[in-house]
Amino acid sequence: NLTLRDFGSLALGGDLDVTGDAVIVARNSLLGGTGATLSARDLVLTSQQGNIGAEDLLFDVLVTGKLVAQAVTRVFLSSAGSVNLDRVTASAAVLLNVAGVLRDGRSTVDRTAGRANITTTALDLRGGSVGTDLAAISADVATLGFALSGGLWLTDSGDLAAKGTAGASVTLGVSGDLTVSDAMSVTTGGAGTR
């Protein structure tokens, strides 16, 4: 296991492989590195005053357990595998580029309490699939953009403005109003749900 706390910033200069769980808490930003990946079982990333990753250099992770990422303003994460997402929180924006499936990794208690997997203002989802038909990703966001080769199953706790493309079904469950801005394209062998 690895625990790093109370330091300024972290920039990955190369791969960091943790055989167990990893908890990394920085006062400032956690930055990725070109070709660098942080691997762990359960992974908790916290930036107390900055961002995790950057829009032009995402923080790359491989997680076999659950992922938690918390930043003041923005989170930019990528993964070449699938991710069991417990939660991601940031006030302004979250970008998740997951090549495999982004799955709901919340505990039964958190699901029952209605705590969202993703809390932010602007959410951008890229990669493979997000959620499943049996377990949608839960969000508390204002805007959703997506570019996925697979499907999207997502619920939102309020009003949602959405736009994007997916290679399979799109199912959005919204508690408030749903606004589809620009064009939304769904390519599927059957009927997609919008």
Side-chain angles (χ1 to χ4, degrees):
N1 293 340
L2 171 70
T3 301
L4 298 173
R5 294 184 187 275
D6 298 326
F7 56 91
S9 295
L10 170 78
L12 284 181
D15 290 342
L16 177 57
D17 297 317
V18 180
T19 57
D21 300 337
V23 176
I24 301 175
V25 181
R27 284 188 304 275
N28 299 313
S29 293
L30 299 171
L31 302 172
T34 303
T37 300
L38 172 56
S39 302
R41 184 176 49 212
D42 286 347
L43 177 59
V44 177
L45 299 172
T46 303
S47 170
Q48 295 173 330
Q49 300 173 10
N51 300 323
I52 298 174
E55 193 167 6
D56 60 346
L57 187 58
L58 281 58
F59 195 102
D60 192 55
V61 299
L62 277 176
V63 181
T64 57
K66 294 183 180 184
L67 173 66
V68 174
Q70 304 165 109
V72 173
T73 312
R74 293 176 177 82
V75 172
F76 303 98
L77 291 173
S78 63
S79 180
S82 293
V83 172
N84 293 316
L85 182 64
D86 185 332
R87 69 184 174 278
V88 173
T89 58
S91 64
V94 170
L95 185 155
L96 301 174
N97 187 349
V98 176
V101 179
L102 182 65
R103 294 186 188 98
D104 180 2
R106 295 174 298 167
S107 68
T108 302
V109 171
D110 286 342
R111 263 190 231 107
T112 302
R115 188 188 47 74
N117 294 103
I118 304 168
T119 303
T120 192
T121 301
L123 175 60
D124 186 355
L125 299 170
R126 302 176 189 172
S129 292
V130 174
T132 68
D133 58 344
L134 299 177
I137 291 293
S138 174
D140 182 1
V141 303
T143 63
L144 167 67
F146 58 95
L148 303 168
S149 60
L152 171 64
W153 293 266
L154 184 134
T155 61
D156 187 77
S157 61
D159 296 340
L160 181 65
K163 65 178 179 179
T165 60
S169 295
V170 172
T171 302
L172 298 173
V174 177
S175 296
D177 294 332
L178 173 63
T179 304
V180 178
S181 35
D182 298 329
M184 185 180 292
S185 173
V186 179
T187 306
T188 179
T193 304
R194 292 188 183 146

